[in-house]
Amino acid sequence: MPQVYNFAAGPAVLPAEVVKQVQQELTSYQKSGMSILEISHRSSLFTNLQTAAENDLRQLMQIPVDYDVLFLQGGATLQFTMTALNLAHKTGKIAFVDTGHWSQRAIQEASLLPDIKPTVIASGKESKFTALPDIPEISENFDYVHLTINNTIEGTMYHQLPVNLKHQSVVADMSSIILGYNYQVKDFDLIYAGAQKNIGPAGLTVVILKHELLKNIPDLPAMLSYPKQVKKNSTLNTPPVFAIYTAGLVFKWLLRQGGVAAMQQQNEIKAQLLYDEIANSKLYHSPVTVADRSLTNIPFVTGSKELDTEFVVRATEKGLLNLKGHRLVGGMRASLYNAMPLAGVKQLVEFMQQFEMNHEGVAK
């Protein structure tokens, strides 16, 4: 089968080494005679792999000892509700920074809860979400500020915590940038991330939260309660065993690569290669403000819907898959997560150059 490169925003590419190991171990995990798909979540086989996965994640992200780590289900979308139920119990007020589709979804979900008052303190709407908004000084008392760190659809990203949030309680959606950029966990009160971009297969959500947050949380249904999930070590019900197993393999792969700092360096090289090609061409254009550009999700357009469609079709024929942009913004989008090799980006750039030569005379 010819080499293909998967540029999907999620579920996304996994490290080839990890996929191969999964294949090798699938029929008999740890020589148990049982597949990883059928081992008990109460067995030592599972508890050992879960403990190893948590320890490796703590090492990769330098998670302080006063933070708990949860392996949950429901995706990042469930966390839109779960964070509000657990943490917005003092004032009932949550501050949101509106940076596009996924932050808007978080606002919508919180607004459905009784006694919760979502407030948008900054929005990128004026720029059509091609730039991150300035965040004003916050004088009002909020239970927390919600921030979408990387915007997969719009292609923007916070490279550091905004200054005016330094002394706020911050909840961060890191789904599409976790482990790809060296953020400091201590800057945030809670981090959540769906796994299917930089961690592993869909079905797992990682939550990292200050243990101090568990105080005074109201009594909630078990599956929606951080204190109850922490007390049961994420096993209130059958956890996503296979997804946690695969995530653990990805964590070990990341450690072998040199950790998050090394991955950030590689991601910067990959992203710059693609951004440079866009900037130097007469055909392609990136709508995103340079300072706010994402390392992992890069949208670009030709200015012609017909050419965009042709680009995606021809790229697919060359084994460059899932480059179609999100329906909200159109065009193309290349997602360059940790597992996307530099060779894949180089092949994409070569294809872009050839496609432009074949359409010479079409200006931006």
Side-chain angles (χ1 to χ4, degrees):
M1 184 176 179
Q3 174 71 58
V4 302
Y5 293 104
N6 177 15
F7 292 92
V13 61
L14 285 165
E17 292 175 34
V18 169
V19 174
K20 186 176 182 180
Q21 186 172 349
V22 170
Q23 181 186 39
Q24 291 171 341
E25 295 181 340
L26 190 60
T27 56
S28 179
Y29 176 66
Q30 295 285 304
K31 300 182 180 179
S32 66
M34 296 179 290
S35 170
I36 187 65
L37 300 173
E38 54 191 14
I39 67 169
S40 169
H41 66 291
R42 304 297 182 194
S43 69
S44 60
L45 285 171
F46 173 72
T47 56
N48 289 344
L49 78 84
Q50 183 186 34
T51 299
E54 178 178 335
N55 290 340
D56 288 344
L57 180 61
R58 285 184 176 275
Q59 182 180 345
L60 283 164
M61 295 185 69
Q62 300 178 1
I63 300 173
V65 294
D66 60 332
Y67 282 69
D68 293 302
V69 174
L70 293 171
F71 295 121
L72 303 181
Q73 301 174 72
T77 301
L78 180 59
Q79 293 306 308
F80 300 159
T81 302
M82 197 166 173
T83 49
L85 285 172
N86 283 264
L87 306 184
H89 57 80
K90 295 177 183 176
T91 68
K93 295 188 291 186
I94 308 169
F96 286 90
V97 181
D98 178 9
T99 50
H101 177 75
W102 290 112
S103 57
Q104 290 165 8
R105 286 287 303 278
I107 295 165
Q108 291 165 3
E109 293 296 296
S111 68
L112 295 174
L113 299 173
D115 304 319
I116 299 296
K117 302 179 184 67
T119 300
V120 176
I121 59 170
S123 175
K125 186 176 181 180
E126 187 175 334
S127 71
K128 297 182 179 179
F129 302 104
T130 60
L132 296 171
D134 292 329
I135 299 175
E137 289 188 22
I138 300 173
S139 56
E140 193 172 350
N141 189 20
F142 293 101
D143 285 325
Y144 62 89
V145 180
H146 181 279
L147 197 64
T148 306
I149 300 298
N150 185 78
N151 298 281
T152 55
I153 295 172
E154 297 79 9
T156 58
M157 166 187 167
Y158 284 99
H159 293 77
Q160 58 186 5
L161 186 68
V163 173
N164 286 342
L165 299 185
K166 290 287 187 182
H167 303 293
Q168 301 292 323
S169 178
V170 178
V171 169
D173 179 352
M174 285 195 186
S175 294
S176 49
I177 193 62
I178 192 169
L179 298 170
Y181 193 84
N182 201 21
Y183 296 102
Q184 301 302 306
V185 172
K186 65 180 185 297
D187 287 342
F188 306 92
D189 287 57
L190 186 148
I191 294 167
Y192 64 85
Q196 64 272 19
K197 301 175 187 296
N198 251 350
I199 296 175
L204 169 66
T205 308
V206 171
V207 177
I208 303 164
L209 71 162
K210 278 185 180 177
H211 190 77
E212 183 182 335
L213 293 178
L214 302 179
K215 298 176 182 177
N216 303 317
I217 290 177
D219 192 23
L220 295 168
M223 293 301 291
L224 296 172
S225 169
Y226 289 137
K228 293 175 183 178
Q229 290 283 9
V230 167
K231 185 177 180 180
K232 289 294 186 179
N233 195 29
S234 307
T235 57
L236 270 167
N237 71 337
T238 306
V241 174
F242 178 74
I244 295 171
Y245 155 74
T246 311
L249 298 183
V250 172
F251 297 156
K252 291 188 182 302
W253 176 81
L254 286 168
L255 288 169
R256 292 196 298 271
Q257 308 312 304
V260 177
M263 295 314 302
Q264 176 180 329
Q265 185 178 36
Q266 284 300 305
N267 289 336
E268 289 171 341
I269 292 170
K270 291 184 295 187
Q272 195 60 54
L273 182 64
L274 182 51
Y275 282 127
D276 283 348
E277 175 59 28
I278 294 168
N280 293 330
S281 83
K282 295 181 179 179
L283 180 61
Y284 309 109
H285 172 66
S286 169
V288 182
T289 300
V290 173
D292 297 336
R293 286 177 175 173
S294 170
L295 286 184
T296 54
N297 304 98
I298 302 176
F300 58 99
V301 296
T302 65
S304 162
K305 290 183 180 180
E306 291 76 18
L307 270 183
D308 290 349
T309 299
E310 183 184 347
F311 180 98
V312 173
V313 170
R314 299 290 175 247
T316 301
E317 292 171 352
K318 296 292 186 180
L320 305 170
L321 307 183
N322 298 308
L323 283 164
K324 184 178 180 180
H326 192 276
R327 57 182 174 76
L328 292 178
V329 296
M332 287 74 71
R333 172 177 55 177
S335 294
L336 312 182
Y337 298 122
N338 288 341
M340 171 56 65
L342 180 60
V345 185
K346 287 181 177 179
Q347 189 160 320
L348 172 58
V349 167
E350 289 174 7
F351 169 77
M352 291 170 68
Q353 292 171 347
Q354 186 62 54
F355 187 85
E356 182 170 1
M357 286 177 59
N358 293 341
H359 296 82
E360 194 171 356
V362 181
K364 295 185 186 181

